[in-house]
Amino acid sequence: IKLVEALLKDNDPEIRITALRALKQSNPEHYIDYCRQLSRDTSAAVRRTVLIALRDVPLQECKPIIIELINGYDGADRWYLNALGICLNGKGQEIYPDIVNSSKEKDAENWSKPVANLVWELHPSSAVQALRARVLSSKLSLHERERSMVALAFIPTQSGADAVRQLAGNNDKT
C-alpha cells in the first residue's frame, strides 16, 4: 500500500489515476483521504476520476472535496462537466446553494460559464426561478437562453412544469 500511495505523486497522470483505483480496492478505509489529496491535482483527468470515484459517497462525507473539484471546473471541459453530473446525481438539490454561493455573481443572468453549465447539468428544482430569469434575460445570447429552457424542462417538479408552460406561452420574450 505504501508503494502505491507514493504513486499518487507520480509525474504521469495515468499512473496517479491507476494508483487511486488500486487504492480504492486495497485500502478503502482511507479512500476519501486519497480523493482529498488528488482533488487539487493539476490534471483534469485525475480530478475527473476523483469525481467518478465519489459518486456513491454521501455528500456530507465528501462535500469539501466536491466543492474543491467544482472550483476546478473551467467551464469548457465537457468530460469534466459530465463527471460532475455523475458524481452529483441525486445530490444536485443539496449542492445547488453551494454552487451559487461560491459564484462571484449571485444574479442568474450574470453567472459564470462554469456555474451556468453546472446548473444546466444538474437542473435542481431549487433553480427554477433562476433558470426562468435566464430564459427571459435580454442580456444572454439566444443559445444561453435556450440552454436554460432545456435545463428548466428537465426539472421533474410541478414548479418546473409550470415555468416551462408559462414561458412557452411567452414566445415573444423567449
Side-chain angles (χ1 to χ4, degrees):
I1 287 177
K2 293 288 182 201
L3 292 172
V4 178
E5 286 175 340
L7 294 175
L8 292 173
K9 296 178 182 173
D10 194 273
N11 289 333
D12 185 346
E14 293 297 324
I15 298 293
R16 295 192 302 273
I17 289 169
T18 302
L20 181 64
R21 290 176 179 160
L23 288 166
K24 181 178 184 178
Q25 300 299 318
S26 62
N27 199 10
E29 60 274 3
H30 292 99
Y31 194 61
I32 298 286
D33 296 327
Y34 303 136
C35 289
R36 184 176 297 109
Q37 180 180 338
L38 293 176
S39 67
R40 292 184 180 184
D41 198 278
T42 56
S43 167
V46 171
R47 294 191 317 273
R48 289 190 306 256
T49 301
V50 172
L51 282 163
I52 300 298
L54 293 174
R55 72 177 171 238
D56 295 324
V57 177
L59 188 59
Q60 53 275 28
E61 291 179 31
C62 63
K63 190 173 186 177
I65 300 168
I66 291 176
I67 296 295
E68 184 69 39
L69 292 161
I70 287 171
N71 291 335
Y73 172 53
D74 64 5
D77 185 338
R78 181 66 185 118
W79 297 109
Y80 200 101
L81 180 61
N82 188 252
L84 282 163
I86 291 168
C87 177
L88 295 171
N89 185 28
K91 302 171 189 169
Q93 184 67 18
E94 194 175 346
I95 198 79
Y96 175 70
D98 296 295
I99 293 167
V100 173
N101 290 334
S102 70
S103 172
K104 293 177 182 142
E105 185 56 60
K106 308 294 185 243
D107 180 20
E109 290 179 293
N110 298 317
W111 281 345
S112 67
K113 187 171 182 171
V115 170
N117 286 351
L118 191 52
V119 173
W120 174 83
E121 179 76 18
L122 300 176
H123 47 274
S125 60
S126 53
V128 167
Q129 290 308 315
L131 289 168
R132 185 180 181 285
R134 287 180 64 82
V135 170
L136 294 172
S137 175
S138 60
K139 294 180 186 179
L140 298 174
S141 70
L142 178 60
H143 175 73
E144 283 301 312
R145 292 169 41 217
E146 288 173 341
R147 283 178 54 86
S148 296
M149 185 68 155
V150 168
L152 195 53
F154 274 95
I155 296 176
T157 64
Q158 187 64 49
S159 63
D162 290 344
V164 169
R165 191 174 312 120
Q166 187 268 331
L167 290 165
N170 224 355
N171 288 333
D172 58 323
K173 293 184 180 179
T174 55

